[in-house]
RNA sequence: GCGCGCAUAGCUCAGUCGGUUAGAGCGUUCGAUUCACAUUCGAAAGGUCCCAGGUUCGAAUCCUGGUGCGCGCACCA
């Protein structure tokens, strides 16, 4: 058969690297990622149902990795699908300052280049360096996000540290302070001696490790510990009131005994926090460096003495070991106790979970510090008029299904987290971040944005980065102004992110949106899994198993990269990715390209009448549209993509086209015309179905289709544009 | 310690409300093909649905117990 109609471009295989930039430009020039523009041009109905997503803002420190790529693919599929279905669709882009990580990185660069620390150059100079760094990084990551084909509305771009977001953060802090939700207090917090800042409970990572477990003679008792270096100040010995073994001892009883630096007087404390099952059932406490000990000390009004300073150095209470770092001091203390005959035994095979700062910091040292907290158990009045605690609100939002977490098992994990939640420490002792709008003068405190006047000094601390992230769904829409965007698009429809930040972010957004707006931040939470290598290992530099999305895009195209991250990736489960997978989907893009070539090579007949057999084929295509739509509506993108993939390749190409060949070569002109028309119409249907998943190749093909836009798909094209991106989704059967 | 989840072909995974002979992709083997295809097409082999018990006319699917693996939380001295 002679090629008759197919444009020349189809004679060569599909070349994504060549096509993608021009397609990207067409989309950008159209402005149709902005729903306002779609309404202006009559593509979307003003009163249409809305569909909104905020992009989880990538950190400005990083470059695009496969996790981002997976996130962008999922969200873009949802966005393109809903836009094509005629919904008023908004997807807001943004970037995140990632305070601690960014500052640490810039400090690192500063030290490597000039051997200077932040204290050498001062706060202002450091902030300037950070600004320079983040400006560059922002441009890089934005450019990379675009290459994935993400149809974000860049006219609404937000940065967590820009002016509008700063204003939102201050407003939120002040409102919460005035409601009594935010308070300042001396409490035991997680101190990172390396980064010199506190971190929240959720940022702590437990690392299992083998540590010797020491048993010491403490007067008449045997006590156990993995941290001998904290034991200098121990002058209280605690046991359970119901412990029969120690009923001879009374609460408050004084006992003289020999300890590390000589004789001391210990006091017996009976408290139910002591676990009778653990070790000897007796423990000494270090209230300044342990959460549970601190609670006990407060209950019984005991002395609290700091033993270790902010850098991990022993204080004068340690006697001759004062000034030593705890790491070096530990063996010396053990040695000293051994000499005194107080070392009972050592269990070398003990494993315990060491608390470390998951944000690249050091080993956590509990310290008592004056910090800002959000009270999660305090009843307050919500904008809805109800009075409840933040915990209760967070529980109800999900319990009532106002927000639905998918996959559902994460709802249980969420509830479990809420049950264990304690007041949230929101102040950080770093320089980069949102300054706390609090001012001090002597004993007075004022919470407001501007300085109250002469002699007032602003709090040096900045806010936990998740404080501002918690506002993200509505700070990006104009809050605290009651803007049109806010009224139209909030609560957002979907929040899609990795399950690893369920608590950090999702829960904090529910909290903030609840108290500040009296509504949930989103209707659905879609949690995707982590992208791992083909063997299921985490991708990491040290393993050398990183698959770079930008390399994949260059080699195989953004479409293939997207599909490789969608098919076979069921919700909430980790995905094993290999370069072979990506290559496989490049073949699919080329298959679609060639199918188009075949269909276009047939001469269409304007008078063609579709016969009964061919109508069945059309019906079948529309039935596929129904199936695909149903899967997307249920957020089963893996099944949706698999369905359309299978239909296009193994039904349309392998069967329908093959069966068509005899008809097209045959003598029956009517049958021939009918089949040509049917093939063309089915092509239009599946290009649309495929578009959310593979936007580039489908748009590239769409642009080559011979008929004018208005006629494409028998009047199913939307008004105003010949872009597939805003074409109307096929009819469902 | 408390909690959540997973186990289906060599590998990666679907399997919806409990219902026909348990499916797909990749891989393997065999064959065809340059007639849309930087190839593609056809066919075949491959299963104790982790184990044991229970409910049921009927169980990969529901229940109980066990085994193995993964994850989350946790202030065990």
């Amino acid at each position: 058969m002679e090629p008759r109609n197919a444009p020349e471009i189809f004679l060569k295989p599909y070349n994504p690297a060549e096509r993608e930039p021009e397609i990207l430009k067409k989309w950008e020039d159209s402005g149709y990622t902005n729903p306002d523009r779609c309404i202006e041009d009559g593509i979307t109905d003003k009163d249409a149902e809305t569909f909104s997503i905020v992009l989880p803002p990538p950190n400005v420190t990083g470059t695009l990795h496969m996790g981002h790529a997976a996130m962008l693919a999922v969200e873009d599929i949802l966005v393109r699908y809903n836009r094509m279905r005629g919904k008023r669709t908004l997807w807001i882009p943004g970037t995140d300052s990632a305070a601690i990580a960014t500052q640490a990185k810039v400090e690192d660069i500063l030290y490597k280049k000039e051997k200077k620390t932040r204290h050498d150059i001062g706060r202002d100079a450091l902030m300037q360096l950070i600004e320079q760094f983040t400006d560059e990084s922002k441009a890089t990551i934005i450019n990379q996000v675009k290459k994935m084909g993400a149809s974000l509305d860049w006219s609404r771009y937000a940065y967590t540290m820009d002016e509008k977001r700063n204003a939102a953060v201050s407003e939120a802090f002040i409102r919460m302070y005035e409601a009594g939700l935010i308070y300042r207090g001396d409490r035991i917090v997680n101190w990172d001696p390396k980064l010199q800042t506190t971190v929240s409970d959720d940022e702590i990572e437990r690392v299992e490790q083998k540590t010797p477990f020491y048993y010491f003679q403490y007067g008449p008792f045997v006590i156990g510990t993995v941290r001998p270096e904290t034991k200098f100040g121990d002058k209280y010995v605690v046991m359970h009131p119901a412990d029969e073994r120690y009923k001879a001892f009374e609460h408050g009883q004084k006992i003289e005994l020999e300890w590390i630096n000589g004789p001391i007087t210990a006091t017996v404390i009976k408290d139910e926090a002591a676990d009778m099952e653990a070790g000897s059932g007796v423990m000494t406490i270090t209230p300044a460096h342990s959460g549970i000990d601190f609670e006990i000390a407060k209950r019984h009004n005991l002395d609290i003495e700091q033993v270790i300073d902010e850098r991990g150095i022993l204080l004068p209470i340690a006697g001759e070991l004062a000034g030593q770092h705890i790491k070096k001091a530990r063996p010396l203390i053990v040695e000293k106790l051994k000499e005194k005959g107080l070392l009972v035994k050592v269990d070398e095979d003990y494993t315990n979970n060491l608390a470390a700062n998951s944000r690249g910091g050091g080993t956590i040292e509990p310290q008592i510090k004056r910090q800002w907290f959000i009270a999660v158990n305090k009843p307050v009045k919500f904008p809805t008029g109800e009075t409840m605690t933040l915990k209760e609100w967070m529980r109800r939002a999900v319990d009532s299904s106002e927000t639905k977490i998918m996959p559902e098992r994460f709802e249980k994990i969420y509830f479990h987290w809420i049950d264990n939640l304690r007041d949230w420490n929101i102040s950080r002792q770093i320089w980069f971040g949102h300054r706390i709008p609090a001012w001090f003068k002597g004993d007075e405190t004022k919470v407001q944005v501007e300085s109250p006047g002469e002699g007032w000094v602003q709090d040096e601390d900045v806010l936990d980065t998740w404080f501002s992230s918690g506002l993200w769904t509505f700070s990006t829409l104009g809050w605290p102004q009651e803007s049109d965007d806010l009224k139209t698009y909030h609560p957002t429809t979907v929040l899609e992110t990795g399950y690893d930040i369920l608590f950090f972010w999702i829960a904090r957004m529910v909290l903030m949106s609840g108290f500040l707006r009296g509504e949930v931040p989103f209707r659905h939470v879609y949690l995707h899994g982590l992208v791992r290598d083909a063997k299921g290992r985490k991708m990491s530099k040290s393993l050398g198993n990183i698959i770079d999305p930008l390399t994949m895009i260059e080699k195989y195209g953004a479409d293939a990269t997207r599909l490789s991250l969608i098919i076979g990736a069921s919700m909430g489960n980790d995905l094993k990715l290999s370069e072979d997978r990506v290559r496989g989907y490049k073949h699919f893009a080329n298959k679609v390209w060639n199918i188009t070539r075949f269909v276009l090579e047939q001469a269409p007949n304007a008078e063609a009448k579709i016969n009964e057999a061919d109508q069945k084929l059309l019906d079948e295509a529309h039935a596929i549209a129904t199936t695909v739509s149903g899967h997307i509506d249920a957020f089963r993108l893996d099944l949706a993509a698999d369905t359309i993939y299978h239909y296009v390749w193994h039904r349309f190409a392998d069967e329908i086209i093959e069966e068509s060949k005899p008809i097209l070569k045959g003598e029956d002109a009517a049958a021939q015309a009918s089949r040509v028309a049917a093939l063309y119409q089915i092509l239009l249907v599946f290009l649309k179905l495929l578009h959310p998943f593979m936007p580039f190749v489908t748009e590239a093909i769409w642009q080559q289709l011979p008929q004018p836009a208005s006629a494409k798909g028998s009047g199913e094209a939307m008004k105003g544009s010949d872009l597939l991106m805003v074409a109307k989704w096929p009819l469902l059967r």
Side-chain angles (χ1 to χ4, degrees):
Chain A
M1 210 177 315
E2 293 296 310
R4 275 169 289 189
N5 300 297
E8 197 140 330
I9 199 171
F10 288 105
L11 296 179
K12 281 196 289 181
Y14 176 62
N15 182 348
E18 206 172 291
R19 296 280 151 253
E20 287 179 3
E22 68 190 46
I23 297 296
L24 214 47
K25 185 158 189 315
K26 268 193 160 50
W27 290 333
E28 278 200 46
D29 291 347
S30 77
Y32 288 143
T33 56
N34 181 347
D36 303 335
R37 206 44 205 283
C38 291
I39 292 168
E40 269 170 45
D41 286 7
I43 287 166
T44 307
D45 190 357
K46 194 173 189 307
D47 301 320
E49 196 183 328
T50 58
F51 183 89
S52 52
I53 301 191
V54 291
L55 176 76
N59 290 351
V60 287
T61 48
T63 51
L64 200 77
H65 56 65
M66 271 299 170
H68 292 127
M71 163 183 91
L72 291 166
V74 168
E75 294 180 25
D76 194 50
I77 288 164
L78 295 172
V79 164
R80 285 181 187 270
Y81 165 74
N82 280 287
R83 189 186 292 121
M84 288 174 81
R85 293 212 67 173
K87 288 194 191 162
R88 189 167 166 179
T89 302
L90 175 62
W91 188 17
I92 301 186
T95 48
D96 185 9
S97 55
I100 290 186
T102 305
Q103 181 173 325
K105 193 153 188 168
V106 171
E107 283 187 66
D108 202 40
I109 295 170
L110 176 69
Y111 191 78
K112 274 186 186 144
K113 268 192 190 162
E114 305 180 31
K115 293 272 177 275
K116 283 181 182 166
T117 70
R118 71 183 198 211
H119 300 285
D120 295 329
I121 65 169
R123 189 165 195 147
D124 289 342
L126 184 78
M127 295 312 279
Q128 259 179 17
L129 282 181
I130 288 175
E131 200 177 320
Q132 238 173 38
F133 176 80
T134 54
D135 279 352
E136 283 169 30
S137 296
K138 260 187 259 177
T140 306
I141 195 123
I142 287 170
N143 186 36
Q144 293 174 337
V145 166
K146 286 182 178 175
K147 282 191 174 160
M148 277 295 289
S151 58
L152 288 147
D153 179 8
W154 292 99
S155 73
R156 284 172 165 90
Y157 167 79
Y159 173 52
T160 50
M161 293 286 289
D162 64 23
E163 219 169 284
K164 283 181 182 169
R165 264 44 69 174
N166 281 338
V169 166
S170 300
E171 177 75 19
F173 187 95
I174 292 166
R175 282 199 204 175
M176 294 175 89
Y177 176 78
E178 284 170 356
L181 268 183
I182 288 181
Y183 68 93
R184 195 162 181 246
D186 296 296
R187 303 194 30 175
I188 195 138
V189 290
N190 309 303
W191 178 257
D192 181 340
K194 186 176 158 198
L195 297 183
Q196 292 286 300
T197 180
T198 58
V199 294
S200 70
D201 295 344
D202 295 291
E203 267 159 317
I204 289 177
E205 199 172 45
R206 303 269 160 187
V207 189
E208 196 171 274
Q209 63 157 38
K210 255 193 185 152
T211 321
F213 190 94
Y214 304 98
Y215 291 91
F216 298 122
Q217 196 68 43
Y218 188 80
F221 309 105
V222 172
I223 58 156
T225 185
V226 291
R227 303 202 57 196
E229 68 274 17
T230 64
K231 294 290 150 193
F232 293 100
D234 289 9
K235 55 183 183 183
Y236 301 104
V237 57
V238 183
M239 60 212 71
H240 199 282
D243 197 326
E244 288 293 315
R245 291 170 292 182
Y246 306 108
K247 67 179 174 192
F249 298 94
E250 281 172 33
H251 181 79
Q253 186 178 338
K254 306 282 184 197
I255 296 172
E256 302 295 326
L257 56 87
E258 180 65 21
W259 196 226
I260 307 171
N261 289 325
I264 60 161
T265 305
T267 307
V268 172
I269 301 294
K270 300 266 182 168
D271 192 287
E272 288 175 3
D275 183 354
M276 289 189 274
E277 307 297 317
S280 60
V282 176
M283 62 178 176
T284 61
I285 58 169
T286 314
H289 303 290
S290 155
I292 188 169
D293 294 1
F294 180 73
E295 300 289 321
I296 294 170
K298 272 177 73 178
R299 265 201 292 282
H300 301 284
N301 206 15
L302 310 178
D303 296 341
I304 296 173
E305 283 172 285
Q306 194 177 0
V307 180
I308 301 162
D309 79 358
E310 278 75 3
R311 292 162 301 157
I313 306 290
L314 287 168
L315 291 166
I317 193 173
E320 62 187 71
L321 289 172
Q324 295 261 26
H325 192 273
I326 49 174
K327 267 190 193 152
K328 287 188 181 147
R330 182 182 292 184
L332 301 177
I333 297 161
V334 174
E335 193 51 40
K336 200 168 170 187
L337 282 162
K338 194 177 173 186
E339 277 167 21
K340 288 189 163 201
L342 296 176
L343 178 64
V344 179
K345 63 169 178 169
V346 185
D347 177 0
E348 296 284 353
D349 279 333
Y350 188 79
T351 53
N352 84 325
N353 295 317
L354 193 68
N357 179 0
S358 60
R359 298 287 179 249
T363 303
I364 295 301
E365 185 65 54
Q367 290 276 11
I368 296 162
K369 300 198 82 79
R370 179 164 296 181
Q371 297 286 309
W372 291 95
F373 295 89
I374 291 181
V376 293
N377 289 312
K378 182 175 180 175
V380 284
K381 198 164 178 197
F382 277 66
T384 56
E386 300 159 292
T387 297
M388 67 181 104
T389 67
L390 290 175
K391 258 191 189 181
E392 285 162 352
W393 172 276
M394 285 191 280
R395 171 170 276 283
R396 198 187 67 180
V398 174
D399 213 18
S400 66
S401 291
E402 276 184 87
T403 289
K404 197 93 203 80
I405 300 178
M406 301 170 297
E408 211 173 308
R409 67 172 191 273
F410 285 100
E411 295 195 346
K412 290 178 189 163
I413 296 174
Y414 173 86
F415 290 136
H416 187 249
W417 176 80
I418 290 177
D419 291 340
N420 289 306
L421 185 63
R422 293 179 292 167
D423 285 1
W424 172 19
N425 170 209
I426 51 169
S427 39
R428 297 288 174 274
Q429 292 68 53
I430 57 173
W431 289 351
F432 182 46
H434 296 98
R435 283 291 283 276
I436 292 174
W439 304 80
F440 308 122
K441 185 180 181 182
D443 287 339
E444 282 180 278
T445 300
K446 280 192 178 180
V447 169
Q448 59 190 60
V449 176
E450 300 299 330
S451 170
E454 192 77 12
W456 288 85
V457 181
Q458 186 170 12
D459 194 319
E460 287 289 316
D461 288 357
V462 299
L463 286 163
D464 181 358
T465 187
W466 297 104
F467 184 94
S468 64
S469 303
L471 314 172
W472 196 241
T473 58
F474 49 96
S475 69
T476 51
L477 289 169
W479 189 88
Q481 265 77 53
E482 203 50 44
S483 66
D484 284 346
D485 272 4
L486 190 55
K487 281 183 252 176
T488 308
Y489 299 107
H490 204 268
T492 60
T493 317
V494 184
L495 190 283
E496 193 272 347
T497 188
Y499 60 73
D500 52 333
I501 53 174
L502 178 62
F503 310 136
F504 287 121
W505 197 35
I506 309 247
R508 265 68 189 256
M509 286 193 281
V510 173
L511 180 161
M512 291 292 189
S513 181
F515 178 71
L516 296 166
R517 304 222 10 102
E519 61 188 9
V520 296
F522 29 67
R523 299 286 176 208
H524 303 275
V525 174
Y526 177 116
L527 296 170
H528 65 242
L530 307 179
V531 182
R532 297 172 176 276
D533 77 358
K535 291 177 189 155
R537 299 173 304 180
K538 248 186 175 164
M539 290 191 187
S540 72
K541 274 183 197 160
S542 54
L543 280 173
N545 61 348
I546 291 180
I547 303 178
D548 174 29
L550 296 157
T551 310
M552 293 301 106
I553 290 172
E554 271 168 42
K555 283 173 84 169
Y556 308 111
D559 292 331
T561 306
R562 290 164 63 116
L563 221 50
S564 74
L565 293 165
I566 294 299
I567 295 185
S570 59
M571 208 192 293
N573 293 325
D574 293 351
L575 171 76
K576 295 186 179 73
L577 183 73
S578 64
E579 188 162 340
D580 282 345
R581 277 175 62 91
V582 188
R583 190 181 297 117
Y585 292 116
K586 186 196 173 174
H587 292 160
F588 181 57
N590 193 51
K591 186 78 182 178
V592 175
W593 189 251
N594 273 295
I595 288 170
T596 307
R597 172 177 166 189
F598 179 85
V599 172
L600 293 187
E601 277 173 358
Q602 316 309 319
N605 180 339
E607 259 96 88
K609 196 166 173 292
I610 304 274
N611 64 31
E612 207 178 311
D614 292 342
Q615 186 57 47
K616 270 195 185 152
L617 295 180
L618 269 170
D619 290 347
E620 187 190 351
H622 285 281
I624 293 294
T626 308
T627 306
V628 170
S629 307
H631 285 319
I632 301 177
D633 289 334
F635 298 97
R636 289 302 306 268
L637 304 186
D638 55 327
L639 296 182
D642 197 50
T643 302
I644 182 65
Y645 174 93
H646 199 259
Y647 174 80
V648 169
W649 198 319
H650 301 297
R651 175 65 184 145
F652 188 76
D654 291 351
E655 294 174 2
I656 296 176
I657 285 188
E658 290 306 320
E659 285 161 15
S660 299
K661 285 177 180 173
I663 299 172
L664 299 173
K665 284 182 200 159
E667 302 297 315
D668 188 339
Q672 214 177 80
S674 166
R675 180 54 63 106
V676 170
L679 290 179
Y680 188 72
Q681 284 194 32
I682 294 173
L683 173 70
L684 296 179
V685 169
F686 80 65
L687 283 176
K688 290 174 180 177
L689 295 182
L690 213 42
H691 182 255
F693 303 92
M694 308 185 90
F696 287 101
V697 68
T698 51
E699 186 73 80
I701 291 171
W702 192 262
Q703 296 305 317
Q704 298 295 332
L705 296 182
Q707 296 184 36
S710 55
K712 281 179 190 169
S714 323
E716 284 181 29
M718 288 189 177
K719 282 187 289 177
S721 173
D722 59 354
L723 284 175
L724 179 54
M725 182 175 77
V726 288
K728 202 169 162 192
W729 192 250
L731 295 174
L732 308 182
R733 289 282 145 85

